[in-house]
């Protein structure tokens, strides 16, 4: 298969503004792809070489990529950099520079997909001394072997800036159509994806072994299961009603979620985004190894940092700082981490995701050697709102941010990759504030004025519409940023900058600058309001109106652990808006006092 097929396809994808067209284009691409290459084509198209959880990534430093463009074109590094300053897109620069080079010999062999994949793989894997030179050579050779257009996409791939904006669900739709002729089979593929987190593997299986094999996917050690997520409600009464009168409640700790896979003495830790974070938490890996009794097990829990002086929980930010700032060893000593377990997905050969919450909890208790550093999270069964409130108070006093209620009904299985009402989070309520922060995707920016001239004055942010697979605006956020934050914004968002509204963004507002949906920030505001200018939940509450956040402010929290599709969804916004209407009279009374 020629790589030019892929490059042409990427070009078309960049031009399209409709998701259905994107799916159709993907189907055309998959139909031209031999079965043995389909996994590789899927990975490349999502800007990777392997699934997320395999820690081999392209992400070459831009400086190195610039040097290889210079090497391939015979230009000086300075010249390439000069051009880059003008457009900001190294892909574009590469294409232009190589185009203006002398004509290549016509007999040149076309570049194959496998050649590209294997070379990129070598580049990604080469480490140690001499690896920089090796990477340079490999990349510049590849750039020369391809056409300028191919080189453009190769360069974007290696620096991790392909960003076609194709969601996993669009790929699943296209796979269903290509290999079964029916989009209706997507749920089968989706389940396989949810328990394997490996889009390429799902693709390869459906292409080579068919739908039955996809149906037989099993939870596997080493492949993270996409995590089950929680809905939110704001009163114990509503929680009980949803839970049919009785449920479990658990402490909700504010740390970092982790899925730990223990396989014969070896432990792998995966983050909420399914990245392998074992190296960042050697102490947690050790805890799992020593204290989970079975040799083969998958458990989930929340990692929290503890203040060694007081033994109290430290806030989430401390844990993230630990990851970024300190060496692992120093951080380990300064902030010892502990693991609060709350779920179990596999024990030896038995899949626990299909078992009920009470069965899972019981097993979790049985297989954990409890101590100060590792234990099943505090939990209780409740059947009235008073008990929920008491438990909630206890949780807050212990430094938690609230509780998570969990269904104990016969259907209370572990729903991989889904956010349903089987888990409901209940957090401390902020008076005269929204019941919860929301995570929004940056899709545009407005240039600043006065003191903010030269940087962005406000960011246009959006929430995720799961049905349409697009991002709908909910707010313009201009407060909550420190001067340093503001100054750093253009640089921080540079790699996402595009010269038109992204096809997956629905906005009535015109931004000065547009971005590919990529970065997620946490915001809070005073309340939700109906809005004629924002498109989130357009028409859901009132004709021609969307929902917006009033008095939005950045909380200071960049949600680096969330992908845009993991931002707050339109459905959640609608629920919170409805929630607010119900509780509003109470709030207003409070304000008058
Ligand atoms: P989400 O993970 O639901 O997208 P988020 O990252 O903004 O949202 P929250 O809304 O604060 O986090 O709450 C959900 C998270 O709470 C879970 O992903 C998990 O990391 C954490 N958590 C803490 N304690 C528990 C518990 N007992 N059961 C389930 N999750 C828990």
């Amino acid at each position: 298969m020629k790589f030019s097929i892929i490059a042409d396809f990427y070009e078309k994808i960049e031009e399209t503004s409709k998701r259905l067209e994107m799916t159709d284009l993907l189907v055309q691409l998959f139909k031209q792809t031999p079965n043995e290459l389909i996994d590789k084509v899927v990975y490349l198209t999502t800007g990777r070489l392997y699934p997320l959880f395999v820690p081999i990534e392209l992400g070459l430093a831009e400086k190195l990529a610039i040097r290889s463009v210079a090497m391939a074109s015979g230009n000086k590094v300075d010249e390439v950099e000069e051009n880059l300053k003008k457009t900001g897109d190294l892909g574009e620069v590469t294409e232009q520079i190589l185009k203006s080079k002398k004509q290549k010999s016509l007999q040149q062999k076309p570049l194959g997909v496998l050649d590209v994949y294997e070379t990129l793989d070598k580049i990604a894997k080469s480490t140690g001394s001499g690896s920089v030179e090796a990477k340079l050579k490999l990349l510049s050779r590849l750039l020369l072997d391809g056409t300028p257009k191919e080189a453009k996409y190769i360069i974007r791939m290696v620096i991790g800036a392909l960003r076609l904006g194709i969601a996993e669900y669009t790929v699943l739709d296209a796979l269903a159509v290509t290999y079964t002729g029916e989009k209706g089979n997507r749920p089968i593929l989706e389940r396989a994806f949810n328990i394997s987190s490996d889009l390429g593997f799902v693709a390869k299986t459906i292409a080579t072994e068919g739908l039955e094999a996809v149906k037989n996917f099993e939870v596997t050690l080493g492949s993270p299961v996409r995590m089950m997520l929680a809905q939110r409600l704001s009163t114990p009464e509503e929680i009980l009603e949803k839970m049919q009168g009785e449920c479990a409640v658990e402490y909700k700790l504010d740390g970092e979620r982790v899925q730990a896979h223990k396989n014969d003495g070896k432990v792998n830790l995966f983050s909420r985004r399914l990245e392998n974070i074992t190296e960042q938490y050697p102490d947690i890996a050790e805890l799992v190894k020593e204290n989970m009794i079975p040799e083969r097990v998958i458990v989930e829990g929340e990692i929290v940092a503890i203040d060694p002086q007081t033994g109290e929980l430290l806030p989430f930010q401390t844990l993230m700082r630990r990851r970024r700032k300190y060496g692992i060893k120093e951080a380990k000593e300064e902030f010892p981490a502990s693991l609060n377990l709350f779920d179990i997905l596999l024990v030896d050969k038995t899949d626990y995701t299909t078992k009920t919450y009470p069965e899972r909890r019981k097993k979790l208790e049985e297989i954990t050697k409890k101590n100060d550093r590792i234990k099943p999270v505090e939990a209780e069964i409740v059947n009235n709102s008073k008990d929920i409130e008491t438990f909630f108070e206890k949780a807050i006093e212990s430094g938690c941010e609230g509780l998570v209620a969990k269904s104990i009904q016969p259907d209370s299985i572990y729903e991989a990759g889904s956010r349903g009402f089987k888990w409901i989070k209940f957090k401390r309520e902020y008076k005269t504030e929204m019941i919860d922060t929301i995570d929004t995707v940056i899709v545009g920016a407005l240039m600043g004025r006065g003191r903010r001239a030269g940087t962005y004055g406000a960011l246009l942010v959006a929430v995720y519409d799961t049905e349409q697979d697009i991002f709908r605006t909910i707010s313009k956020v201009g407060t909550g940023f420190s001067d340093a934050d503001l100054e750093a914004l253009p640089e921080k968002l540079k790699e996402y900058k595009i010269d038109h509204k992204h096809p997956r963004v629905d906005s009535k507002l015109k931004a000065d600058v547009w971005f590919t949906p990529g970065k997620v920030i946490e915001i809070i505001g005073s309340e939700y309001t109906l809005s004629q200018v924002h498109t989130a939940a357009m028409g859901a509450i009132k004709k021609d109106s969307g929902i917006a956040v009033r008095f939005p402010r950045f909380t200071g929290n960049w949600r680096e652990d969330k992908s845009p599709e993991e931002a707050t969804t339109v459905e959640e916004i609608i629920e919170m808006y409805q929630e607010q209407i119900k509780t509003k009279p109470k709030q207003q009374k409070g304000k008058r006092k």
Side-chain angles (χ1 to χ4, degrees), residues 250-252 272 302 406 419 425 427 559 562:
E250 294 183 348
Y251 275 11
K252 181 175 189 308
R272 169 115 169 25
E302 193 83 353
K406 298 191 173 174
R419 187 189 295 283
K425 53 196 176 194
K427 295 204 219 174
R559 294 300 309 252
K562 284 200 168 182

Side-chain angles (χ1 to χ4, degrees), residues 61-94:
E62 195 178 68
K63 280 227 149 44
L64 202 60
I66 291 174
R67 277 174 66 194
S68 32
V69 176
M71 201 163 162
S73 62
N75 285 42
K76 293 215 176 70
V77 168
D78 290 354
E79 292 172 70
V80 181
E81 278 176 344
E82 210 40 52
N83 278 310
L84 181 59
K85 267 194 205 132
K86 280 182 227 145
T87 66
D89 174 356
L90 189 58
E92 210 65 59
V93 169
T94 308

Side-chain angles (χ1 to χ4, degrees), residues 227-232 249-258 272 300-302 340-343 361 377-378 401-404 406 419 423 425 427 436-437 439 522 559 561-562 566-568 572:
M227 295 182 187
M228 175 168 181
L229 302 170
Q231 279 284 3
R232 62 167 87 66
V249 281
E250 294 183 348
Y251 275 11
K252 181 175 189 308
L253 293 129
D254 186 15
E256 177 164 11
R257 183 163 181 177
V258 70
R272 169 115 169 25
E300 261 186 28
E302 193 83 353
N340 291 270
L341 298 162
F342 55 71
D343 224 311
R361 176 77 199 190
V377 74
E378 199 76 28
E401 50 169 5
L403 59 81
V404 185
K406 298 191 173 174
R419 187 189 295 283
W423 285 10
K425 53 196 176 194
K427 295 204 219 174
D436 197 357
T437 55
D439 300 321
E522 189 183 69
R559 294 300 309 252
D561 59 333
K562 284 200 168 182
E566 287 173 318
T568 304
E572 291 177 82

Side-chain angles (χ1 to χ4, degrees), residues 37 39 49 68 202 252 263 314 344 383 454 493:
L37 278 184
D39 50 346
L49 294 170
S68 32
V202 174
K252 181 175 189 308
N263 192 359
L314 288 167
I344 181 154
N383 61 11
L493 294 168

